[in-house]
Amino acid sequence: MTKKQADEDSAGQLTRAVVIDAALQVLRDKGLAGVSTRAVADRLGVRMNTVLWHVKTKARMLELMADAVLGTIDYTGLPASPRERVRELAGRYRRALLAHRDGAALVTGTYAAEPHTLRFADRLVDALLGAGADEKQAAWTAWTITYFALGLVQEEQAAPEQRDDRLARAVDPAAHPALHRARGHLRPEAFDDRFAFGLDAVLSRLPA
């Protein structure tokens, strides 16, 4: 058997889903910086060409991983109220990102026009339309919610385990009078409250 035949035989014993699952395991153990087609091949105990047979490139593998992260979103039991459905979908999106190490950084770095990603976007836009937004507002509000969630979760997932007071120490009353005045509300924690506040601000633009 030639090397090419051996690689094709190994590839035929795997599925793309198995490869992506292994890639998510690498993400869990090593973080996004440690994800590579070689690391996935090592996890599966196969040659790197076998992994590439299924995903073609690392960039494509990351897209499929990002889509798999959104594939964990549950759509059962959503509120009947369109506005509350938007809020709940946004919360479930955030929780899906948080459930995976570097989940927000992974999704931010890809453009996954894949089934799970499109399903979430369709559900979110549908809820926004139901809440009274026109097509443009629904599309752009969906983008805004997504960008906001991705940015906040990236910060949340990168936050140190111990309280970080560097910002408070850096704010000088003379040089930064406005920041000093608001310093009690600039804590890098309180992610749940900050998410709720930001989402309220976005939804306030919807028709009453």
Side-chain angles (χ1 to χ4, degrees):
M1 179 183 294
T2 67
K3 177 179 177 297
K4 179 179 179 180
Q5 289 172 325
D7 287 340
E8 290 178 352
D9 185 59
S10 295
Q13 296 174 19
L14 292 176
T15 64
R16 175 182 282 181
V18 170
V19 171
I20 298 306
D21 183 64
L24 291 171
Q25 293 175 31
V26 174
L27 178 71
R28 177 197 64 204
D29 294 343
K30 299 185 177 182
L32 187 57
V35 174
S36 66
T37 53
R38 184 174 299 280
V40 175
D42 290 344
R43 174 61 60 104
L44 290 168
V46 299
R47 304 171 73 94
M48 190 166 67
N49 282 347
T50 302
V51 171
L52 292 173
W53 177 276
H54 292 281
V55 299
K56 308 307 178 188
T57 65
K58 177 183 176 180
R60 179 62 178 148
M61 181 175 74
L62 293 174
E63 289 177 349
L64 294 170
M65 291 170 64
D67 192 56
V69 167
L70 297 198
T72 64
I73 296 174
D74 180 15
Y75 296 98
T76 61
L78 288 169
S81 163
R83 187 181 292 262
E84 290 307 309
R85 193 156 67 248
V86 172
R87 191 184 302 278
E88 179 63 23
L89 284 167
R92 294 186 188 189
Y93 181 78
R94 176 181 174 230
R95 290 192 291 274
L97 298 174
L98 286 170
H100 295 80
R101 180 178 178 181
D102 294 339
L106 168 67
V107 174
T108 299
T110 62
Y111 190 89
E114 300 296 326
H116 297 305
T117 303
L118 295 175
R119 183 185 186 194
F120 173 78
D122 185 73
R123 293 294 186 94
L124 183 58
V125 169
D126 179 69
L128 288 162
L129 290 170
D134 61 27
E135 288 81 359
K136 177 181 177 180
Q137 187 180 25
W140 285 21
T141 303
W143 281 122
T144 301
I145 290 171
T146 301
Y147 294 150
F148 168 60
L150 287 170
L152 186 65
V153 174
Q154 281 193 80
E155 180 186 346
E156 187 170 0
Q157 292 187 311
E161 294 183 4
Q162 301 298 321
R163 183 183 178 91
D164 191 338
D165 294 320
R166 284 177 295 173
L167 177 60
R169 295 196 304 269
V171 172
D172 180 85
H176 320 107
L179 286 177
H180 185 262
R181 181 176 172 183
R183 66 189 182 282
H185 305 285
L186 295 176
R187 294 182 296 108
E189 304 92 357
F191 290 105
D192 289 346
D193 292 339
R194 289 164 60 190
F195 182 75
F197 179 87
L199 193 56
D200 283 344
V202 174
L203 296 183
S204 70
R205 300 292 303 271
L206 293 177

